[in-house]
């Protein structure tokens, strides 16, 4: 009796070896895809969107590449997901996590082929991951107590992160900038307070960090262009006709005179509102919504600088910097907190006029102005800087740092190897495989730089045999060297997240022995 | 296909468009049904037990689910065959009733069907097989009752509960930290349990997940977690000793449901309307302030002006909170949900010791913790994990563990896991078979054999020699007359499930046997399958 089909049409099932094979292949394909972007000499990818305009993105950021891929393979989707989470959680290491997971699966495939049960591999991987993390924990450097040392650590971390990106040319410059910006946050991880303004033109070197706050807006006509000791009211209110909000209200009149009267009343109302606002004793008014010509004129008459249509984030940041509260009603001027700053002026960056608030009360927020040759460069620079800022803000909270350049991987690999020797049973094969997967990362970094990876990694391994070795691969000079001397540092939190999520993802994919694909949902034809 | 003829010899058509329909009758129908049932069971078989594998399911929209939970697998499988759908239902009802053992019940049903097929080949009538199964299941359930053990726990000593939950969790991907998750599940259930009435309302336990962090960061919060932040960025992020007004009315001008129009035709009217509007906002905020609220949680949105007024009067507020969460908050804080500002009174406010906002990761995601509530009967399990699928699977696993803990509070009896209970039942059924005269005896024996299939699947998934292991355990059980011996899936080195601390709930096991038998009986009784032709 043939078994009737159980599934719907187009739904399919892959079982056992086939299922495993398909997930291995999918996962490895993804990891191979991003592999070449790893490390300081990693290459970039061009992404062309299928949407209108075929917008082009040039990037080196793993998460960005993977996010834009259309993937059908379910195992590949798992990898994309971990990369995305890595991006959200620590901001950097998005490529490493995928490459490591891919390597773990590649090793697992070999083990499965030699008849080791996936569950055994998983338990081996778990032990190895645990052991690797302990090895790192033992060797972390924590300079929290020493602010000066800590700052130099941060700069080194930022440089390490940036050196694989487009900003590597001016990494010192950008690293200083990123660290300064992070220190202004005073320990909070709220990166929204750091505003990144992109202005094409100039070169990347011309980018700068501004102590104050820059708002990408123009000052109203006829209003002062420069205010000293400004009192700022940050508001979110309608400054157009200010409609009556009660539902169902409408104007119905029977003669022209009445229209005029009501118009007058409206104007009066607006004027009232403006007067109320002026009663706060301000000389600068920033509104999230539009300001119509009439109130603008009134403000101009009163010599108050009015800025309209500052976007939502801009308003929030401005509130944060100047210490004012975001107001929507203006009846009791005495209790509204106003923002203060020493100087508001219009400045020019490239061809655009921007408003610059300097000498602000609360120094939390700041602006980074990026300059560059094209939009693609600026976009990529922003992504890179964002990565660096993320890592730094996480490091400020968890100040443990590690050496970079494949050093952590080698340290882990050594410990894991030792564990493998001590562990009896089939698990030890899996543990050994884990250490091989770890070594694959420095190998890839060296390969991408066009170096002799076999030679370098072997040398590195030999040097790591001695206790307390600080050796890693210095890709720039193409040799093995002391990472501490060359100032290549990485954040512990990033490495830990890479290790754990890669293991978790590999484990998840390994456990699968059956893939059931449902029939794709039919789209309604929109013809 | 048999045709009926009328008295003149013309073919007599009973079914509409008979010749276009495929029809299976008699033994063929049963065989086809059994084959379909078995096919479903075969898919799940490899997921059973602590060494069971996972399934990867790709949904119609391309979303990926990786799970080990029988009910979830079957639910998402996009099944077309009618009999296969019955199996899906079977697993679902086990999920609703018990919450755990959803894979086991399907494997069991599959085994019963397989045995039934053999009996059919012998020429035994399906009804007799069904009856035999019925008798056998009764014997098995009674035997379970006999070998079940009461076990004692109370609020201070919940170790046994944790052990049972760990058994459930050990088959999931989260078994890396099964200990801490089991503890979380048990503590959560105990926090909301009504030990007097032996009842647990699982609705009071909210399971919330957020990607990022690691599984070890999963925590139990004695309070509510809301995936929202304060409505105004400059409101305080932490409120101690909060008095919470829970509102289901928006901070917006009223929108009467009846159609109306307010006509403005004079300047005075315009003025009054404007005044009224201002007054309206003012009153709303004042009302909240007057009753002594220090936090407003609202189901709807706020108008900008209202938002600022709230901020201005130092009254933090949260907007767009979902209905279910609102109810939970009301339960936890002992407040009442207030539909209109006029009805706001101090008694209706909820109380919480601490409300704080916490941000996660590098993106601007914030969550609101409401802790130290007046009535700590609502708790939240907050799951962290490396990726979305992990979180989803952890949620399902936690749900299973919660259900197990609840079942234990309802009924303190347990049986031993690792296939021990099935082997014991199989022996009891086997022994009882000889007492029944008639054809049913064979069916009962077949039932006993089917019971063996669960430990067999366990052994197979653990990579053990199945027949050898099973027969060894069986003989051990008979020799020592102790029903605690099961399959040693984790390679611990002992078959004694008491030592391994592998427990399952009695009702769960009983339900598995009863439900599986019922479905198999239903399938056996079908002797005609008429399906419309493909067109």
């Amino acid at each position: 009796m043939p078994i009737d089909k159980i599934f719907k049409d187009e739904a399919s099932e892959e079982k056992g070896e086939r299922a495993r094979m398909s997930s291995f292949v999918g996962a490895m394909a993804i990891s191979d895809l991003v592999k070449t972007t790893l490390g300081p000499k990693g290459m970039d990818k061009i992404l062309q969107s299928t949407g209108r305009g075929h917008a082009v993105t040039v990037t080196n950021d793993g998460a960005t590449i993977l996010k834009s891929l259309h993937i059908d393979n379910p195992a590949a989707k798992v990898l994309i997901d971990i990369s995305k989470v890595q991006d959200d959680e620590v901001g950097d290491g998005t490529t490493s996590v995928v490459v490591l997971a891919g390597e773990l699966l590649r090793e697992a495939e070999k083990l499965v082929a030699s008849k080791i049960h996936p569950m055994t591999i998983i338990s081996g991987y778990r032990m190895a991951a645990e052991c690797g993390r302990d090895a790192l924990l033992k060797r972390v450097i924590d300079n929290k107590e020493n602010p000066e040392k800590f700052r130099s650590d941060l700069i080194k971390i930022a440089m390490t992160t940036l050196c694989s990106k487009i900003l590597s040319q001016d990494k010192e410059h950008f690293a200083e900038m990123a660290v300064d910006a992070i220190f202004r946050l005073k320990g909070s991880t709220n990166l929204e307070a750091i505003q990144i303004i992109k202005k094409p033109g100039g070169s990347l070197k011309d980018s700068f960090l501004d102590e104050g706050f820059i708002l990408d807006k123009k000052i109203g006509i006829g209003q002062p262009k420069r205010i000293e000791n400004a009192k700022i009211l940050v508001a979110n209110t309608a400054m157009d006709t200010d409609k009556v909000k009660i539902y169902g209200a409408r104007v119905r009149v029977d003669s022209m005179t009445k229209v005029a009267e009501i118009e007058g009343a409206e104007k009066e109302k607006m004027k009232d509102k403006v007067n109320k606002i002026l009663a706060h004793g301000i000389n600068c008014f920033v509104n999230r919504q539009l300001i119509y010509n009439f109130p603008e004129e009134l403000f101009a008459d009163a010599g108050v600088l009015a800025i309209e249509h500052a976007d939502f984030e801009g308003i929030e940041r401005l509130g944060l910097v100047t210490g004012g509260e975001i107001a929507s009603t203006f009846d009791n001027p005495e209790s509204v907190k106003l923002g203060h700053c020493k100087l508001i002026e219009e400045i020019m960056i490239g061809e655009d006029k921007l408003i610059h608030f300097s000498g602000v009360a609360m120094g939390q927020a700041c602006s980074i102005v990026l300059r560059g040759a094209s939009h693609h460069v600026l976009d990529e620079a922003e992504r890179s800087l964002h990565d660096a800022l993320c890592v730094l803000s996480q490091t400020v909270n968890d100040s443990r740092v590690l050496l970079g350049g494949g050093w952590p991987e080698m340290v882990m690999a050594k410990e894991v190897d030792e564990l493998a020797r001590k562990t009896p049973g089939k698990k030890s094969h899996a543990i050994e495989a884990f250490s091989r997967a770890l070594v694959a990362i420095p190998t890839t970094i060296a390969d991408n730089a066009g170096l002799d990876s076999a030679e370098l990694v072997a040398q590195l391994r030999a040097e790591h045999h001695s206790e307390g070795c600080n050796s890693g691969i210095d890709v720039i000079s193409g040799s093995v060297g002391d990472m501490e001397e060359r100032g290549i540092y990485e954040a512990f939190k990033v490495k830990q997240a890479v290790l754990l999520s890669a293991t978790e993802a590999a484990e998840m994919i390994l456990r699968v022995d059956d893939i059931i694909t449902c029939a794709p949902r039919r789209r309604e034809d929109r013809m | 296909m048999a045709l009926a003829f009328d008295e003149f010899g013309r073919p007599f058509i009973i079914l509409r468009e008979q010749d276009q329909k495929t029809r299976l009758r008699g033994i063929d129908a049963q065989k086809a049904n059994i084959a379909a049932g078995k096919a479903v069971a075969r898919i799940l078989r490899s997921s059973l037990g602590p060494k069971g594998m996972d399934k990867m399911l790709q949904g119609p929209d391309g979303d990926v689910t990786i799970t080990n939970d029988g009910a979830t697998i079957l639910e998402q499988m996009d099944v077309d065959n009618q009999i296969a759908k019955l199996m899906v239902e079977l697993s679902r009802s086990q999920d609703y009733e018990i919450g755990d053992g959803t894979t086991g019940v399907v494997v069991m049903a599959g085994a019963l069907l397989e045995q039934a097929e053999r009996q059919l080949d012998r020429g035994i009538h399906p009804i007799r097989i069904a009856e035999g199964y019925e008798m056998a299941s009764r014997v098995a359930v009674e035997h379970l009752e006999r070998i079940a053990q009461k076990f004692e726990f109370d609020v201070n000593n919940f170790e046994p509960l944790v052990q049972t939950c760990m058994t459930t969790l050990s088959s999931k991907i989260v078994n890396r930290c099964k200990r801490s998750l089991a503890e979380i599940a048990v503590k959560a259930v105990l926090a909301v349990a009504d030990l007097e009435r032996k009842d647990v309302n699982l609705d009071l336990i909210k399971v919330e997940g957020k990607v990022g962090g690691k599984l070890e960061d999963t925590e139990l919060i004695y309070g509510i977690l809301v995936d929202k932040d304060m409505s105004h960025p400059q409101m305080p992020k932490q409120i101690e000793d909060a008095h919470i007004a829970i509102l289901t009315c928006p901070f917006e001008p009223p929108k009467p449901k009846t159609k109306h129009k307010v006509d403005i035709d004079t300047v005075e009217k315009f003025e009054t309307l404007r005044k009224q509007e201002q007054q309206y906002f003012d009153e709303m905020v004042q009302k909240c302030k007057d009753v002594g609220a220090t936090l407003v949680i609202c189901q709807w949105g706020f108008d900008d002006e209202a938002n600022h007024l709230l901020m201005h009067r130092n009254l933090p507020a949260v907007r767009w909170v979902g209905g279910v969460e609102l109810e939970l908050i009301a339960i936890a804080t002992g407040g009442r949900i207030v539909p209109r500002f006029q009805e706001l009174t101090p008694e209706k406010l909820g109380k919480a010791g601490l409300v704080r906002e916490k941000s996660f990761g590098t993106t601007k995601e914030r969550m609101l913790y409401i802790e130290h509530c007046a009535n700590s009967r609502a708790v939240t399990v907050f799951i962290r994990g490396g990726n979305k699928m992990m979180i989803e699977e952890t949620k399902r696993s936690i749900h299973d563990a919660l259900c197990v803990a609840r079942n234990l509070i309802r009924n303190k009896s347990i049986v031993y896991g690792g296939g021990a209970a099935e082997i014991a039942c199989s022996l009891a059924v086997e022994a009882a078979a000889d007492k029944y005269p008639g054809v049913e005896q064979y069916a009962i024996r077949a039932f006993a054999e089917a019971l063996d299939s669960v430990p067999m699947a366990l052994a197979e998934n653990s990579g053990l020699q199945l027949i050898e292991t099973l027969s060894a355990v069986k003989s051990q059980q008979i020799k020592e007359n102790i029903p605690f011996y099961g399959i040693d899936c984790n390679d611990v080195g002992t078959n004694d499930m008491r030592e391994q601390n592998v427990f399952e709930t009695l009702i769960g096991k009983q339900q598995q046997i009863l439900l599986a038998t019922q479905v198999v009986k239903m399938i056996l009784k079908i002797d005609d399958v008429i399906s419309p032709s493909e067109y």
Side-chain angles (χ1 to χ4, degrees):
Chain A
M1 189 77 221
I3 301 166
D4 277 20
K5 59 177 205 311
I6 312 172
F7 300 111
K8 284 197 181 123
D9 299 343
E10 292 181 53
S12 65
E13 191 196 357
E14 284 176 281
K15 291 187 81 97
E17 286 305 305
R18 273 185 63 96
R20 208 163 284 139
M21 211 44 75
S22 117
S23 39
F24 283 160
V25 168
M28 279 189 274
I30 288 294
S31 113
D32 285 343
L33 182 80
V34 291
K35 210 173 174 177
T36 53
T37 64
L38 194 71
K41 293 278 172 79
M43 305 299 269
D44 289 4
K45 307 266 176 215
I46 286 193
L47 306 165
Q48 191 170 23
S49 86
T50 48
R52 185 177 300 176
H54 296 278
V56 172
T57 317
V58 183
T59 183
N60 175 295
D61 182 43
T64 314
I65 300 173
L66 293 175
K67 244 184 264 172
S68 359
L69 292 177
H70 294 282
I71 296 288
D72 207 30
N73 187 300
K77 280 188 185 158
V78 176
L79 288 195
I80 292 179
D81 201 56
I82 56 168
S83 152
K84 211 156 53 191
V85 172
Q86 179 84 12
D87 194 26
D88 290 349
E89 201 47 27
V90 284
D92 192 28
T94 51
T95 313
S96 317
V97 68
V98 175
V99 172
L100 184 58
E103 287 307 322
L104 285 174
L105 287 172
R106 198 188 303 275
E107 292 295 335
E109 189 192 11
K110 286 181 212 153
L111 293 176
V112 170
S114 59
K115 299 276 179 286
I116 292 179
H117 195 269
M119 286 297 169
T120 320
I121 304 177
I122 289 171
S123 62
Y125 276 8
R126 272 186 192 169
M127 284 171 70
E130 205 53 42
C131 160
R133 189 167 61 148
D134 290 343
L136 288 188
L137 271 175
K138 256 184 273 165
R139 319 223 11 202
V140 289
I141 310 162
D142 193 341
N143 282 331
K144 187 98 189 170
E145 305 305 319
N146 185 348
E148 228 153 81
K149 199 98 191 274
F150 185 49
R151 193 190 148 86
S152 81
D153 277 358
L154 283 182
I155 290 184
K156 283 172 190 160
I157 289 177
M159 289 208 313
T160 312
T161 306
L162 291 172
C163 74
S164 65
K165 316 276 162 149
I166 196 165
L167 301 178
S168 58
Q169 288 303 314
D170 313 303
K171 62 183 177 196
E172 288 90 2
H173 180 59
F174 282 98
E176 285 277 347
M177 216 156 82
V179 173
D180 283 344
I182 287 294
F183 270 111
R184 290 178 74 86
L185 288 182
K186 299 190 183 80
S188 99
T189 54
N190 187 1
L191 289 182
E192 284 162 67
I194 300 177
Q195 191 190 24
I196 299 181
I197 296 173
K198 296 177 282 185
K199 287 282 166 210
S203 76
L204 279 173
K205 235 197 168 83
D206 299 336
S207 309
F208 61 93
L209 171 81
D210 197 278
E211 299 286 314
F213 178 80
I214 293 176
L215 197 64
D216 195 356
K217 285 283 166 268
K218 287 191 183 64
I219 294 176
I221 305 154
Q223 291 164 350
K225 299 270 185 253
R226 184 187 157 91
I227 296 178
E228 273 175 43
N229 284 331
K231 292 196 198 78
I232 310 161
L233 180 64
V234 187
N236 176 15
T237 185
M239 288 302 275
D240 40 21
T241 46
D242 207 2
K243 293 182 283 287
V244 175
K245 283 181 190 147
I246 291 170
Y247 181 72
R250 59 171 186 174
V251 178
R252 171 173 279 183
V253 287
D254 46 16
S255 72
M256 285 306 284
T257 41
K258 283 194 175 154
V259 176
E261 273 171 23
I262 286 177
E263 210 191 326
E266 259 180 14
K267 258 193 176 157
E268 203 54 41
K269 184 181 168 193
M270 199 72 250
K271 209 167 179 176
D272 267 2
K273 195 166 180 177
V274 173
N275 283 336
K276 269 190 211 158
I277 291 169
L278 292 176
H280 288 73
I282 53 167
N283 45 21
C284 176
F285 175 72
V286 185
N287 191 16
R288 180 167 90 80
Q289 298 174 24
L290 285 175
I291 303 177
Y292 270 33
N293 287 350
F294 177 62
E296 193 177 330
E297 187 194 320
L298 291 176
F299 281 124
D301 286 348
V304 168
L305 172 63
I307 301 162
E308 64 166 12
H309 215 230
D311 53 21
F312 201 82
E313 281 171 21
I315 279 289
E316 275 188 23
R317 272 196 207 113
L318 199 60
L320 204 64
V321 209
T322 59
E325 73 181 55
I326 301 170
S328 291
T329 54
F330 311 98
D331 289 326
N332 11 14
E334 62 286 344
S335 61
V336 172
K337 263 195 273 165
L338 296 177
H340 294 279
C341 81
K342 292 242 166 57
L343 178 69
I344 301 176
E345 61 182 342
E346 202 174 52
I347 53 167
M348 297 274 289
I349 297 177
E351 292 186 336
D352 295 305
K353 285 182 190 156
L354 302 161
I355 303 170
H356 182 222
F357 297 78
S358 57
V360 289
M362 254 185 277
Q364 279 214 2
C366 56
S367 299
I368 292 175
V369 179
L370 286 178
R371 308 298 311 273
S374 76
H375 278 290
H376 301 308
V377 172
L378 284 176
D379 284 346
E380 177 66 359
E382 188 192 0
R383 274 192 293 275
S384 316
L385 200 58
H386 174 255
D387 276 8
L389 288 174
C390 286
V391 174
L392 289 178
S393 74
Q394 295 294 334
T395 319
V396 168
N397 287 338
D398 182 352
S399 59
R400 290 172 291 184
V401 295
L402 295 166
L403 295 175
W407 177 84
E409 281 82 10
M410 292 312 290
V411 167
M412 284 194 276
K414 189 184 158 212
E415 290 284 326
V416 169
D417 257 340
E418 226 135 79
L419 177 74
R421 257 174 255 149
K422 278 183 254 162
T423 313
K426 280 192 266 193
K427 268 184 225 162
S428 69
H429 292 287
I431 300 175
E432 244 173 44
F434 196 93
S435 110
R436 277 201 295 279
L438 284 172
V439 176
I441 290 198
T443 313
T444 314
I445 294 178
D447 274 339
N448 285 347
L451 302 171
D452 186 351
S453 64
E455 170 70 30
L456 282 176
V457 170
Q459 201 183 335
L460 198 56
R461 189 194 285 271
E463 285 196 20
H464 267 269
H465 198 67
S466 61
E467 203 55 47
C469 156
N470 291 334
S471 298
I473 296 179
D474 182 356
V475 176
I476 312 296
S477 69
S479 63
V480 171
D482 191 326
M483 287 295 116
E484 203 176 353
E485 274 169 27
R486 307 198 187 191
I488 300 179
Y489 281 85
E490 277 180 274
F492 170 71
K493 201 164 172 189
V494 175
K495 273 284 158 243
Q496 173 180 284
V498 167
L499 183 71
L500 294 183
S501 6
T503 319
E504 219 166 62
E507 193 180 303
M508 232 165 157
I509 293 172
L510 266 175
R511 279 175 71 101
V512 170
D513 75 334
D514 202 324
I515 300 176
I516 297 164
T517 316
C518 293
R521 199 185 297 282
R522 286 189 193 286
R523 298 247 169 79
E524 297 293 319
D525 278 332
R526 279 168 295 183
M527 296 296 281
Chain B
M1 187 152 300
L3 276 182
F5 295 95
D6 64 4
E7 64 261 45
F8 306 109
R10 285 177 304 201
F12 190 77
I13 293 170
I14 304 164
L15 292 168
R16 203 153 56 93
E17 294 164 353
Q18 189 171 7
D19 47 338
Q20 284 172 25
K21 294 190 173 165
T22 46
R23 187 169 177 205
L24 285 170
R25 301 196 54 187
I27 209 89
D28 280 346
Q30 270 137 3
K31 287 267 175 85
N33 292 344
I34 287 173
K38 267 163 57 186
V40 174
R42 213 180 39 227
I43 294 174
L44 287 196
R45 202 180 148 93
S46 63
S47 296
L48 198 70
K51 293 276 170 83
M53 306 293 278
D54 288 3
K55 308 280 173 243
M56 195 183 261
L57 300 149
Q58 195 167 20
D61 298 322
D63 42 333
V64 178
T65 313
I66 296 182
T67 180
N68 180 294
D69 182 49
T72 316
I73 299 172
L74 289 176
E75 206 134 309
Q76 304 210 349
M77 225 160 64
D78 215 4
V79 160
D80 204 22
N81 186 293
Q82 296 307 315
I83 300 300
K85 274 187 189 157
L86 271 182
M87 301 292 266
V88 175
E89 286 286 313
L90 167 70
S91 165
R92 200 178 299 158
S93 54
Q94 174 84 12
D95 194 27
Y96 286 162
E97 196 61 31
I98 306 297
D100 184 33
T102 50
T103 314
V105 68
V106 175
V107 172
M108 176 88 205
L112 284 174
L113 285 172
E114 197 174 330
Q115 291 297 330
E117 193 178 13
R118 238 175 257 169
Q119 304 305 319
L120 281 175
D121 286 343
R122 281 182 165 173
I124 299 176
H125 193 273
I127 296 295
R128 306 302 285 272
I129 302 176
E131 272 168 21
Y133 277 5
E134 179 71 45
M135 289 173 194
S137 72
R138 231 175 293 143
V139 172
V141 168
E142 275 166 25
H143 186 70
L144 277 179
E145 197 100 35
R146 227 171 303 132
I147 62 169
Q149 294 200 335
K150 288 267 169 211
F151 83 163
E152 292 309 318
F153 62 85
D154 51 58
V155 183
N156 299 319
N157 174 26
F158 49 77
E159 184 59 27
L161 280 176
V162 174
Q163 292 291 350
T164 320
C165 288
M166 273 165 65
T167 309
T168 305
L169 291 175
S170 65
S171 67
K172 316 281 179 192
I173 193 165
V174 295
N175 58 8
R176 184 153 48 96
C177 26
K178 60 180 174 185
R179 174 83 215 178
S180 61
L181 287 182
E183 267 170 26
I184 286 173
V186 170
K187 278 184 193 154
V189 168
L190 284 178
V192 302
D194 190 343
L195 290 173
E196 297 288 297
R197 284 197 306 120
K198 294 194 167 180
D199 194 22
V200 182
N201 185 359
L202 284 187
D203 288 342
L204 294 179
I205 302 177
K206 196 170 161 229
V207 182
E208 187 79 45
K210 188 129 216 151
V211 281
K214 42 190 192 291
L215 206 52
E216 285 86 349
D217 297 339
T218 302
E219 57 179 337
L220 176 70
I221 296 159
Y222 290 97
I224 306 288
L225 197 62
V226 190
D227 197 354
K228 291 277 176 294
D229 51 2
M230 294 292 180
S231 63
H232 197 287
Q234 290 164 344
M235 284 178 180
K237 307 281 181 229
Q238 186 159 343
I239 304 154
E240 270 164 37
D241 205 9
H243 292 246
I244 306 170
I246 305 160
L247 298 170
T248 54
C249 42
F251 269 93
E252 270 162 19
K255 289 181 182 159
K257 297 227 170 63
T258 42
K259 258 203 164 150
H260 70 287
K261 284 195 184 98
V262 183
D263 282 348
I264 302 171
D265 49 7
T266 59
V267 176
E268 291 78 51
K269 273 194 183 171
F270 184 85
E271 292 288 323
T272 39
L273 213 54
R274 213 184 92 195
K275 288 244 164 60
Q276 260 176 12
E277 190 189 279
Q278 271 179 355
Q279 212 180 350
Y280 189 81
F281 283 127
D282 217 43
E283 261 172 30
M284 282 194 295
V285 177
Q286 198 53 46
K287 196 87 200 168
C288 297
K289 200 78 191 167
D290 282 347
V291 293
T294 53
L295 174 69
V296 178
I297 290 179
C298 184
Q299 195 173 9
W300 302 99
F302 303 156
D303 196 275
D304 285 342
E305 278 170 49
N307 203 357
H308 175 248
L309 274 176
L310 283 169
M311 158 72 200
H312 192 84
R313 305 251 171 113
N314 205 5
L315 192 58
V318 186
R319 56 183 155 183
W320 302 121
V321 178
V324 183
E325 285 162 343
L326 212 62
E327 265 174 44
L328 272 174
I329 293 172
I331 293 171
T333 59
R336 293 267 295 279
I337 296 177
V338 182
R340 264 185 289 267
F341 286 99
Q342 289 78 11
E343 286 166 26
L344 208 56
T345 57
E347 300 84 61
K348 287 180 179 168
L349 295 181
K351 287 174 190 61
L354 180 67
V355 178
R356 64 197 164 100
E357 200 182 82
K358 199 177 166 188
S359 53
F360 293 99
T362 59
T363 45
K364 41 184 173 180
E365 296 201 47
R366 299 200 192 88
M367 283 182 133
L368 203 64
Y369 285 62
I370 302 176
E371 289 173 308
H372 308 302
C373 302
N375 171 9
S376 63
R377 295 297 297 276
V379 296
T380 308
V381 180
F382 184 47
I383 297 171
R384 309 298 313 272
N387 55 48
K388 208 169 64 217
M389 292 135 213
M390 193 76 190
I391 299 266
E392 291 301 313
E393 178 68 358
T394 313
K395 269 190 193 171
R396 283 189 286 270
S397 312
I398 286 276
H399 169 254
D400 280 9
L402 290 175
C403 288
V404 167
R406 177 195 59 176
N407 292 340
L408 279 174
I409 285 174
R410 280 196 188 149
N411 183 346
K412 288 185 180 173
S413 305
I414 48 130
V415 291
Y416 287 89
E422 281 87 356
I423 295 172
C425 284
S426 154
L427 291 172
V429 172
E430 184 92 48
D434 297 335
K435 290 181 206 144
Y436 288 92
V439 189
E440 284 86 356
Q441 206 184 80
Y442 279 88
I444 296 174
R445 284 219 186 91
F447 191 91
E449 223 155 285
L451 278 172
D452 284 346
S453 71
V454 172
M456 226 156 13
L458 278 180
E460 190 182 340
N461 292 342
S462 313
L464 302 170
Q465 304 282 339
L466 18 157
I467 298 176
E468 241 169 68
T469 322
L470 185 62
S471 46
V473 172
K474 248 187 178 177
S475 73
Q476 209 174 358
Q477 279 213 7
I478 294 177
K479 227 185 279 165
E480 301 176 27
N481 199 17
I482 301 176
F484 305 142
Y485 293 112
I487 307 289
D488 176 21
C489 301
N490 288 326
D491 240 2
V492 179
T494 170
N495 283 334
D496 193 334
M497 292 296 134
R498 272 178 308 180
E499 271 177 44
Q500 286 207 20
N501 284 326
V502 180
F503 309 116
E504 279 178 78
T505 55
L506 172 68
I507 29 178
K509 260 286 109 82
Q510 281 180 332
Q511 198 73 21
Q512 263 187 3
I513 293 180
L514 287 176
L515 281 174
T517 314
Q518 258 174 32
V519 168
V520 169
K521 266 170 64 190
M522 201 187 320
I523 295 175
L524 281 174
K525 279 185 179 168
I526 301 169
D527 76 334
D528 203 337
V529 182
I530 304 169
S531 41
S533 60
E534 310 268 320
Y535 45 85

